[in-house]
Amino acid sequence: MAEIKKGDRAADFSVKSLAGETVTLSAFKGKVVLLDFWASWCEPCKQELPLLDKLAPRLKEQGIEILTVNIDDHQQNAADFIRSHGLKLTVALDAKQSIVGKYEPPKMPSSFAIDRQGVVRAINAGFEVGDEKKIEQQLASIASK
């Protein structure tokens, strides 16, 4: 399966969330989405997720959703991390690697900024503190078009 690049249509998927609900990317059609891949063993991910969680309510007001995809083999690791940090982000579980296999993120974490038409407009590989500002501006720019 070829990796998804900037300008490609985002690949739809249907998996269970940490909350036990079915999550599909197509359910977010008409919204700008930040699709963020992470794992509990990834140190930069541990820095990024709490910052994304803080951004989420402000972005939601602009019609922007954050959907995180956890690639841990053991979903309990993801559940423990989310609970211990009190995060409210939607977490899609990808233990079977079906989503990550379609997107092939370049690093952990990686996020894909997807426009209202379902096209990938930007890919953010890796994360350092401060990148959340760049990501917020990027999403706001996509949402304003």
Side-chain angles (χ1 to χ4, degrees), residues 66-88:
I66 296 176
L67 175 57
T68 71
V69 177
N70 177 267
I71 65 162
D72 285 354
D73 293 334
H74 305 288
Q75 70 183 47
Q76 192 57 48
N77 296 344
D80 291 347
F81 180 83
I82 294 293
R83 189 177 53 251
S84 70
H85 289 79
L87 305 180
K88 294 170 184 60

Side-chain angles (χ1 to χ4, degrees), residues 25-143:
L25 185 59
S26 53
F28 293 91
K29 192 166 174 59
K31 295 186 179 206
V32 172
V33 177
L34 183 71
L35 185 64
D36 185 73
F37 290 87
W38 68 283
S40 62
W41 44 260
C42 157
E43 288 305 318
C45 301
K46 292 177 186 179
Q47 295 177 312
E48 180 194 44
L49 281 173
L51 295 170
L52 290 181
D53 190 68
K54 279 195 188 108
L55 276 182
R58 196 162 66 234
L59 292 173
K60 199 175 187 84
E61 291 171 7
Q62 301 170 52
I64 302 168
E65 298 286 340
I66 296 176
L67 175 57
T68 71
V69 177
N70 177 267
I71 65 162
D72 285 354
D73 293 334
H74 305 288
Q75 70 183 47
Q76 192 57 48
N77 296 344
D80 291 347
F81 180 83
I82 294 293
R83 189 177 53 251
S84 70
H85 289 79
L87 305 180
K88 294 170 184 60
L89 293 166
T90 302
V91 180
L93 299 171
D94 193 27
K96 293 187 178 88
Q97 313 289 306
S98 63
I99 307 169
V100 79
K102 290 176 184 173
Y103 283 82
E104 294 187 21
K107 285 179 148 180
M108 290 305 289
S110 282
S111 59
F112 292 73
I114 303 167
D115 72 12
R116 287 183 175 84
Q117 288 71 47
V119 176
V120 174
R121 292 295 169 201
I123 299 171
N124 303 295
F127 182 84
E128 293 176 10
V129 174
D131 285 355
E132 71 278 6
K133 292 176 186 69
K134 179 186 79 179
I135 291 169
E136 183 176 14
Q137 288 167 346
Q138 177 187 83
L139 292 167
S141 169
I142 293 167

